[in-house]
Amino acid sequence: MQPPSKSAPPEQQAITLPVRGALASLSLAMLLPALGTSIANVGLPDMARALHAPFQDVQWIVLAYLLAITALIVSVGRLGDMVGRRRLLLAGIALFAVASILCALAPTLWLLVAARALQGLGASVMMALTMAFVGSTVPKARTGSAMGLLGTMSAIGTTLGPALGGLLIARFGWQAIFLVNVPLAGVALLLAWRYLPADQRGANAKRPVFDHRGTMLLALTLAAYALAMTLGRGHFGMRNVALLLAACVGAIVFVRVELKAPAPLIRLAMLRAPVLSAGLATSMLVSTVMMSTLVVGPFYLARGLGLGTAATGMVLAAGPLVAAFCGVPSGWLVDRYGAQRMGGAGLCGAAFACLALALLPASLGIAGYVVPIMLLTASYALFQAANNTAVMVDIVPEQRGVISGMLNLSRNLGLVTGASVMGAVFAAGTSDIASAPPAAMIAGMHATFGVASVLILAALAIFVLGRAMSKAGKPA
């Protein structure tokens, strides 16, 4: 099948493009950043030994990657809207592959950290632009299914990382966890080049103006916030407070700059749209709750229920596996019954699951933990597919990149916030979580998901309010 004429508008191209090839390229572009996040964690001990570095310094291998994504994801989304999403996505995939090679070849820790930051830049491009491409490659009636597929690929990348990383390190050494990205990125690059629609720009189009001041301010503000939430593992010291204050000041200055900028990075007036503002807020709240399962789960299972390492790992795998299997069916449900209805259903399911985790006694054992976690994960998959569809489906083409970046940013901010805040809630009743008795672990788990229940109910209230405001704002 021949590619469509480059003169055809993007919305018409979406009808004639080979949708499966386009979705395959976008799926790989979503899988790679998730794999890059999860696969590195398992290799930290080996890299610490090989590079003769203390574990505190080796953590920057993970932090540099996450900071680059968090700080730059909105900016690269906006850049894609301006210079062309296909062009920038191809560059992002290529950068991710080159940076992966540099990671494997790095002779020192800090060169590896620098290469990981470059890899994070490539990952931020892929994360920001994959959802933006859905509108120009997939028919509107199948948007939910496409969003569900992308969610599935992200879950597969997260689930696959630790197991694949362990096998590669045992057989080939820690360098292999980075080199495995190269052939996957090569396939993604070829598919994207062949199947994604060409960038469109009119002959008389004005040269776009990039908001350099806003970009720098937002990147510094987000980096300060992410560092404040991650340094110290939830134990806030003066350094964390200083970084958090810097992030607050940066946010205020950013808003003032954007209000005066002739071509702002983020048009703040967009946030007045109820669907968008509610979608971003609920995404951050729900992601904060989902991070609780990763923070609390290992300690509760190992120390609260007394499970061994292998059994703990198997139980923890239940959530990601459910997410991987539920993504595509969730997208189908969104297409069949509507994003608003399924988004509400997902939030209700998540609220019920969090309440069960907060109230069910530990005497129920593994089943009392796994069943609610599976419900929570399935509900999250449904909410994500519905929320992403509701936000992206009617966005005008020139704003898809920045809105997609903002959606991914809200998720990332929720994850880093959850790691810090929910971890602090869990550990509040003990001075040393590593040696706390089982009763303290059980109490901490109940307290954490009690707070999580409140956050989910708040997200549900915002969701309902946003839907009501959206309906009220529509002409009769």
Side-chain angles (χ1 to χ4, degrees):
M1 184 176 182
Q2 296 297 320
S5 171
K6 293 186 178 181
S7 61
E11 299 304 327
Q12 291 182 12
Q13 288 182 11
I15 300 172
T16 56
L17 277 170
V19 175
R20 289 182 181 178
L23 281 177
S25 66
L26 296 178
S27 295
L28 281 174
M30 183 62 79
L31 180 141
L32 283 167
L35 186 63
T37 300
S38 63
I39 200 171
N41 288 280
V42 73
L44 291 182
D46 292 86
M47 287 183 274
R49 287 192 295 269
L51 301 172
H52 308 290
F55 187 73
Q56 185 175 2
D57 290 346
V58 172
Q59 290 182 88
W60 281 96
I61 295 172
V62 174
L63 278 178
Y65 183 82
L66 296 176
L67 284 173
I69 293 174
T70 303
L72 299 172
I73 195 165
V74 175
S75 303
V76 296
R78 173 62 179 152
L79 191 62
D81 290 336
M82 295 172 60
V83 304
R85 286 188 286 271
R86 180 178 182 272
R87 184 180 298 116
L88 187 60
L89 181 60
L90 292 174
I93 297 172
L95 176 61
F96 188 88
V98 171
S100 297
I101 296 173
L102 293 176
C103 287
L105 297 177
T108 66
L109 172 64
W110 298 111
L111 286 176
L112 175 55
V113 170
R116 278 286 281 175
L118 278 179
Q119 194 184 38
L121 173 57
S124 69
V125 172
M126 289 187 279
M127 292 177 69
L129 298 183
T130 46
M131 287 196 300
F133 264 109
V134 170
S136 58
T137 56
V138 177
K140 190 172 181 179
R142 294 181 56 188
T143 300
S145 297
M147 292 297 183
L149 175 62
L150 295 182
T152 293
M153 296 307 294
S154 179
I156 289 174
T158 302
T159 307
L160 186 63
L164 179 61
L167 290 173
L168 290 173
I169 291 171
R171 196 169 187 82
F172 303 108
W174 64 267
Q175 293 88 347
I177 65 176
F178 299 113
L179 292 176
V180 72
N181 294 318
V182 178
L184 292 174
V187 174
L189 193 64
L190 288 173
L191 289 171
W193 178 80
R194 172 65 179 84
Y195 291 112
L196 292 181
D199 299 319
Q200 301 294 314
R201 189 179 176 190
N204 298 323
K206 294 181 180 180
R207 185 176 181 179
V209 178
F210 191 65
D211 182 11
H212 295 91
R213 290 178 63 194
T215 297
M216 182 63 69
L217 274 170
L218 183 62
L220 292 174
T221 298
L222 293 173
Y225 180 81
L227 280 172
M229 292 293 108
T230 51
L231 292 181
R233 298 184 178 183
H235 299 287
F236 260 54
M238 289 305 299
R239 182 172 55 175
N240 302 82
V241 173
L243 286 167
L244 196 56
L245 287 174
C248 293
V249 172
I252 294 171
V253 176
F254 173 74
V255 170
R256 294 187 65 179
V257 167
E258 293 301 279
L259 289 174
K260 297 178 181 179
L265 174 66
I266 298 175
R267 298 187 181 277
L268 299 178
M270 293 190 307
L271 298 178
R272 296 174 187 169
V275 172
L276 175 59
S277 56
L280 295 175
T282 53
S283 178
M284 181 172 177
L285 288 170
V286 176
S287 296
T288 300
V289 169
M290 292 307 298
M291 193 63 188
S292 304
T293 63
L294 301 178
V295 173
V296 173
F299 290 99
Y300 173 72
L301 293 171
R303 298 194 60 83
L305 298 184
L307 301 184
T309 303
T312 298
M314 291 180 64
V315 174
L316 289 175
L321 284 174
V322 169
F325 283 108
C326 286
V328 173
S330 295
W332 180 86
L333 288 171
V334 171
D335 287 337
R336 178 68 176 83
Y337 297 106
Q340 298 295 336
R341 185 180 300 175
M342 290 299 99
L347 288 173
C348 289
F352 183 81
C354 287
L355 286 171
L357 288 165
L359 299 175
L360 289 178
S363 58
L364 292 176
I366 295 175
Y369 178 82
V370 169
V371 173
I373 284 292
M374 293 176 69
L375 174 60
L376 177 60
T377 310
S379 300
Y380 176 66
L382 181 58
F383 165 77
Q384 279 286 92
N387 191 53
N388 292 343
T389 301
V391 170
M392 295 298 298
V393 69
D394 291 322
I395 295 295
V396 294
E398 59 270 19
Q399 293 180 351
R400 285 175 184 156
V402 69
I403 297 300
S404 176
M406 290 169 68
L407 267 174
N408 280 285
L409 173 63
S410 67
R411 177 179 175 272
N412 279 13
L413 290 179
L415 294 175
V416 297
T417 303
S420 176
V421 175
M422 304 305 271
V425 171
F426 180 65
T430 177
S431 58
D432 184 7
I433 194 171
S435 59
M441 296 291 98
I442 295 168
M445 199 273 285
H446 288 163
T448 301
F449 282 100
V451 173
S453 301
V454 174
L455 294 179
I456 292 292
L457 291 174
L460 184 59
I462 293 171
F463 176 85
V464 172
L465 180 62
R467 183 178 182 182
M469 291 176 64
S470 177
K471 285 185 175 181
K474 290 182 180 179

